[in-house]
């Protein structure tokens, strides 16, 4: 991954780390279908990637993934403080627009809407409006979706992130995980009012 940051540029890669908190309160990184720990903590690996120039981190609290129980705000506040200058994306638990706004207030640079959007529990335009005027680094969700598929070999879902006056929302096909070049993503373009 460090080599990819150097070769392709950190602005083009979103590193995705799935995490689970253990009994001691440490955030572990499960691998092999979330059945084993990677042997390194979330904090250690995220800091290693930050030292290598990482700009974007998508972190999923797997205990909340697909549960519609609200995002783990304390996790994202912790990561935002630990990794200044890194745009952290909240993933796992987002259930409504209020959660999107709360993730933004926690310092997140984006949020994965996933199941909430799929089940039409929120309006996409309202979720995007939560990011209006955000001061987070700008990046393209289409690139993030592709890099996430490459870095984590997982299926990405809908993602939102600010991009100056507009945001591109992309749903990545599941087949992206096995491709060697990015196909044209399906996009919805939304421009901030005014």
């Amino acid at each position: 991954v460090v080599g990819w940051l150097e070769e392709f540029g950190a602005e083009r890669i979103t590193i995705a780390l799935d995490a689970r908190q253990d009994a001691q309160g440490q955030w572990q990184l499960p691998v092999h279908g979330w059945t084993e720990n990677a042997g390194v903590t979330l904090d250690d690996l995220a800091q290693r990637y930050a030292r290598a120039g990482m700009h974007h981190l998508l972190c999923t609290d797997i205990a909340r993934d697909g549960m519609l129980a609200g995002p783990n705000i304390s996790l994202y506040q912790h990561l935002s403080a630990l990794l200044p200058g890194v745009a952290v994306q909240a993933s796992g638990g987002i259930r409504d627009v209020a959660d999107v706004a709360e993730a933004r207030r926690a310092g997140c640079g984006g949020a994965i809407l996933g199941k909430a959007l799929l089940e039409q529990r929120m309006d996409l335009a309202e979720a995007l409006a939560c990011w209006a005027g955000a001061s987070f680094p700008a990046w393209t969700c289409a690139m993030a979706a592709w890099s996430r598929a490459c870095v984590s070999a997982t299926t990405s879902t809908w993602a939102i992130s600010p991009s100056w006056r507009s945001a591109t929302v992309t749903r990545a096909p599941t087949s992206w995980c096995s491709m060697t070049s990015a196909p044209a993503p399906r996009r919805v373009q939304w421009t901030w009012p005014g």
Side-chain angles (χ1 to χ4, degrees):
V1 174
V2 170
W4 291 344
L5 291 171
E6 294 169 1
E7 181 178 350
F8 300 109
E11 190 61 31
R12 294 181 172 177
I13 295 183
T14 296
I15 296 174
L17 299 175
D18 295 349
R20 176 187 296 132
Q21 196 168 31
D22 66 18
Q24 292 75 39
Q26 292 289 315
W27 285 96
Q28 300 297 327
L29 299 172
V31 294
H32 300 291
W34 297 343
T35 61
E36 301 173 22
N37 283 334
V40 62
T41 66
L42 170 63
D43 287 7
D44 291 340
L45 192 58
Q47 287 177 316
R48 176 181 173 207
Y49 290 150
R51 285 190 302 272
M54 172 179 66
H55 290 196
H56 309 286
L57 172 66
L58 183 152
C59 183
T60 301
D61 177 351
I62 62 173
R64 296 179 186 229
D65 193 36
M67 302 304 292
L68 298 170
N72 188 330
I73 295 302
S74 64
L75 169 62
Y76 301 116
Q77 289 171 333
H78 166 74
L79 288 172
S80 294
L82 182 69
L83 308 166
V86 173
V88 176
Q89 253 190 52
S91 176
I94 300 282
R95 60 192 162 203
D96 55 29
V97 174
D99 286 344
V100 174
E102 190 174 7
R104 179 176 179 217
R105 283 191 301 275
C108 289
I112 302 299
L113 304 180
K115 190 173 182 179
L117 191 62
L118 186 64
E119 292 184 356
Q120 300 177 334
R121 293 172 177 257
M122 72 173 70
D123 180 75
L124 179 59
E126 289 177 8
L128 288 167
C130 289
W131 299 102
S135 60
F136 305 114
W139 55 286
T140 304
C141 293
M143 180 56 71
W146 167 241
S147 62
R148 203 166 52 246
C150 288
V151 172
S152 68
T154 60
T155 305
S156 63
T157 55
W158 292 94
I160 65 170
S161 183
S163 178
W164 296 295
R165 293 187 42 75
S166 66
T168 301
V169 181
T170 302
R171 183 170 173 91
T174 57
S175 59
W176 280 20
C177 295
S178 61
M179 294 185 159
T180 56
S181 62
R186 292 173 278 165
R187 299 181 183 185
V188 175
Q189 185 72 32
W190 186 81
T191 304
W192 308 127

